[in-house]
Amino acid sequence: NAGVTQTPKFQVLKTGQSMTLQCAQDMNHEYMSWYRQDPGMGLRLIHYSVGAGITDQGEVPNGYNVSRSTTEDFPLRLLSAAPSQTSVYFCASSYNGGRSYEQYFGPGTRLTVT
Amino acid sequence: AQKVTQAQTEISVVEKEDVTLDCVYETRDTTYYLFWYKQPPSGELVFLIRRNSFDEQNEISGRYSWNFQKSTSSFNFTITASQVVDSAVYFCALSESDMRFGAGTRLTVKP
């Protein structure tokens, strides 16, 4: 099992550019989520999905889109990158709706927007 | 709305000292789950423990122990006889419909 994988590991964007952060898991987990980590603010939930075809917003969804066409993949799209989106992004998955089971995290993507 | 507060931003101890990391949470649900995660300098997030709201038993795992008290809405984490390898950022998290994290406590254990 590869667990949760994320690509790329590092990315530099210019303001206004768009890109997609990839996330995949091979554990057949129903629940997947995206967090961003900023110094002193812990991990903040961006979007999550309780299963294929179902997504919902977290604490800080503005500027990001997600879709969940398969159980395995949960890409995060930045529509028009802004310097405020400079952060480390973590994807996670868990067995059920994220409520009672621990989440398994990917290694993270460090994004810099200039 | 759910909320997790880790008031200690940074803690520094000398090896072999005991250290307690505080976690206070807010929730309106009667059923919820609490977690602790460790983030070592390498950056990955490592799951440490899960506790549901109906189980207030304290738990011990080696040098780690957790004290869950619903009366004070706290879920504190104690490391006994700390080691340099315990240096990391520790996150407390609360799960209702989704999981929310505290801001984290950076623990530095000096030799």
Side-chain angles (χ1 to χ4, degrees):
Chain A
N1 275 354
V4 180
T5 57
Q6 292 183 237
T7 56
K9 290 189 177 181
F10 301 94
Q11 182 71 49
V12 179
L13 290 178
K14 293 185 177 179
T15 298
Q17 287 184 319
S18 62
M19 80 158 296
T20 298
L21 306 186
Q22 300 292 344
C23 175
Q25 53 90 10
D26 61 359
M27 298 173 281
N28 202 33
H29 284 170
E30 298 171 0
Y31 184 88
M32 296 186 74
S33 57
W34 277 102
Y35 291 85
R36 58 178 290 174
Q37 183 177 17
D38 302 295
M41 303 189 75
L43 286 89
R44 291 182 293 168
L45 182 65
I46 305 172
H47 286 284
Y48 65 98
S49 168
V50 298
I54 306 169
T55 63
D56 208 345
Q57 296 181 350
E59 300 171 80
V60 288
N62 292 341
Y64 307 95
N65 272 0
V66 293
S67 59
R68 184 93 178 271
S69 56
T70 67
T71 299
E72 295 77 19
D73 300 300
F74 191 42
L76 178 72
R77 298 182 188 85
L78 281 70
L79 307 174
S80 177
S84 60
Q85 294 178 305
T86 293
S87 188
V88 180
Y89 290 85
F90 287 97
C91 178
S93 73
S94 72
Y95 178 67
N96 72 353
R99 181 178 174 80
S100 59
Y101 286 86
E102 66 270 24
Q103 296 199 62
Y104 294 83
F105 284 84
T109 295
R110 185 174 294 276
L111 175 68
T112 302
V113 183
T114 60
Chain B
Q2 61 199 97
K3 182 180 177 182
V4 177
T5 301
Q6 295 180 256
Q8 304 152 308
T9 305
E10 295 191 26
I11 300 175
S12 181
V13 299
V14 176
E15 209 170 19
K16 298 184 182 177
E17 284 186 22
D18 298 347
V19 58
T20 296
L21 310 182
D22 297 333
C23 174
V24 175
Y25 62 92
E26 296 176 28
T27 178
R28 294 178 183 173
D29 278 7
T30 55
T31 303
Y32 52 89
Y33 298 82
L34 295 161
F35 301 80
W36 276 94
Y37 284 83
K38 175 182 180 179
Q39 186 176 42
S42 52
E44 74 272 23
L45 285 146
V46 179
F47 164 75
L48 295 177
I49 191 172
R50 173 184 70 234
R51 175 67 75 227
N52 75 57
S53 54
F54 299 107
D55 182 3
E56 287 194 73
Q57 279 193 338
N58 292 333
E59 180 152 343
I60 299 174
S61 176
R63 296 184 297 106
Y64 294 173
S65 63
W66 291 268
N67 184 333
F68 175 29
Q69 291 194 339
K70 288 179 74 172
S71 61
T72 55
S73 297
S74 65
F75 187 41
N76 297 337
F77 174 30
T78 297
I79 302 174
T80 303
S82 59
Q83 299 177 0
V84 173
V85 294
D86 296 327
S87 296
V89 180
Y90 291 86
F91 292 100
C92 181
L94 167 66
S95 182
E96 298 176 344
S97 55
D98 55 52
M99 186 180 288
R100 304 293 175 97
F101 286 76
T105 297
R106 181 177 300 277
L107 174 66
T108 302
V109 182
K110 299 178 181 178

